[in-house]
């Protein structure tokens, strides 16, 4: 398919982050297959994660097709971009169609990006995840590449004001070793394995992050178990249940 929109968007994003001096570091890109289909399963802490997850595949020269909620595709500004980049709309009331589309894309040799937590994690840990990533990979016969992002939430996350022009924010992106789900394997077991891999990667990028909060009231972006003031996973789950 023609790629008239995706490359210019990538260049614009790279330019913006260069101007803002947001230090991007990508590790593990060698784990992303240079050819053929693959699922990238990434943690979700920011409204901008699809941009950075996509940039994480750039060293491998792959364009990632993200599964995203249908509402984004109907937005006057974002919609044309999402369609032009050939992302996959997800109608949550009829998810089977988007699942089939993702499997078809994978079989055609594309990279499909998913956020298995489905929504942003307010605790900045990996929430319970859905099984779609491993199921579609097993059905299409392609590997799953776990990925972790850290720092993106400091720019724009749930419950916090947008700071898209904030300068000098380090962003770490790490891809982990791929694994190949098999159709005969238990999807629940595979999903637990994927979550463990994503959690381990997230812990690594959190440990490698070059900054700490400058003041006590800036500790919101650290998870509770690292001494921050973000909600615990239990408190975050309760907030999600109340849709706060």
């Amino acid at each position: 398919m023609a790629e008239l929109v995706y490359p210019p968007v990538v260049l614009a994003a790279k330019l913006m982050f260069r101007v803002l001096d947001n230090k991007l570091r990508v590790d593990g890109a060698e784990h992303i297959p240079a050819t053929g289909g693959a699922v990238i399963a990434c943690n979700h802490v920011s409204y901008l994660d699809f941009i950075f997850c996509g940039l994480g595949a750039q060293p491998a020269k792959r364009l990632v097709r993200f599964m995203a909620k249908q509402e984004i595709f109907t937005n006057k500004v974002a919609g044309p971009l999402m369609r032009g980049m050939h992302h996959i709309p997800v109608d949550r009331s009829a998810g089977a169609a988007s699942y089939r589309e993702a499997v078809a894309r994978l079989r055609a040799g594309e990279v499909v990006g998913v956020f298995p937590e489905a929504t942003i994690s307010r605790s900045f840990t990996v929430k319970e995840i859905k099984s779609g990533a491993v199921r579609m990979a097993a059905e299409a016969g392609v590997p799953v590449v776990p990925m972790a992002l850290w720092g993106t939430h400091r720019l724009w996350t749930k419950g916090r004001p947008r700071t898209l022009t904030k300068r000098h924010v380090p962003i770490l992106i790490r891809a982990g070793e791929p694994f190949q789900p098999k159709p005969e394997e238990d999807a629940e077991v595979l999903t637990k394995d994927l979550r463990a891999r994503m959690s381990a990667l997230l812990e690594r990028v959190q440990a490698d992050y070059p900054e700490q909060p400058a003041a006590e009231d800036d500790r919101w972006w650290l998870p509770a178990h690292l001494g921050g003031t973000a909600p615990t996973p239990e408190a975050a789950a309760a907030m999600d249940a109340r849709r706060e």
Side-chain angles (χ1 to χ4, degrees):
M1 63 182 75
E3 298 295 351
L4 302 178
V5 177
Y6 214 142
V9 169
V10 170
L11 288 175
K14 288 181 176 179
L15 176 61
M16 181 180 73
F17 298 130
R18 189 176 299 120
V19 168
L20 294 174
D21 194 32
N22 296 142
K23 305 291 188 182
L24 269 67
R25 192 180 97 191
V26 179
D27 294 310
E30 69 275 9
H31 295 310
I32 300 172
T35 59
V39 174
I40 292 181
C42 190
N43 73 310
H44 200 7
V45 292
S46 166
Y47 291 109
L48 304 174
D49 287 341
F50 72 97
I51 297 174
F52 292 99
C53 180
L55 290 176
Q58 281 293 295
K61 297 182 170 56
R62 302 303 303 270
L63 298 178
V64 183
R65 315 299 179 182
F66 286 97
M67 301 184 75
K69 61 184 180 180
Q70 177 69 44
E71 291 82 354
I72 300 176
F73 289 78
T74 58
N75 181 277
K76 291 182 179 180
V77 176
L81 292 175
M82 296 295 283
R83 291 189 292 274
M85 290 185 281
H86 308 295
H87 294 316
I88 303 169
V90 178
D91 182 347
R92 291 181 178 175
S93 65
S98 57
Y99 177 89
R100 289 194 298 270
E101 175 66 17
V103 171
R105 299 281 193 96
L106 291 167
R107 286 174 171 162
E110 295 202 58
V111 177
V112 172
V114 298
F115 297 100
E117 296 165 280
T119 58
I120 288 174
S121 170
R122 300 171 187 262
S123 67
F124 307 137
T125 62
V126 179
K127 299 165 56 174
E128 293 295 327
I129 66 174
K130 298 184 180 298
S131 63
V134 296
R135 288 190 293 108
M136 68 176 64
E139 187 170 339
V142 303
V144 176
V145 180
M147 182 177 283
L149 307 174
W150 191 242
T152 61
H153 57 309
R154 295 179 65 190
L155 300 176
W156 189 15
T157 192
K158 188 175 289 186
R160 301 290 304 187
R162 282 177 289 183
T163 54
L164 301 181
T165 57
K166 186 176 178 64
R167 295 174 57 83
H168 314 304
V169 175
I171 306 292
L172 302 191
I173 307 166
R174 181 181 289 273
E177 292 186 11
F179 68 102
Q180 179 72 64
K182 300 292 193 300
E184 64 273 14
E185 293 180 291
D186 188 310
E188 183 176 343
V189 173
L190 289 169
T191 300
K192 288 180 179 179
D193 181 27
L194 173 58
R195 182 173 182 246
R197 291 168 183 261
M198 292 170 61
S199 295
L201 285 172
L202 180 57
E203 289 171 4
R204 288 181 66 183
V205 293
Q206 288 171 337
D208 290 345
Y209 199 68
E211 290 189 3
Q212 291 292 316
E216 186 63 30
D217 61 1
D218 198 34
R219 301 188 71 80
W220 65 266
W221 57 265
L222 277 185
H225 73 277
L226 293 180
T229 57
T232 64
E234 296 77 15
M239 293 168 71
D240 287 341
R242 296 192 298 268
R243 297 189 177 184
E244 292 181 6

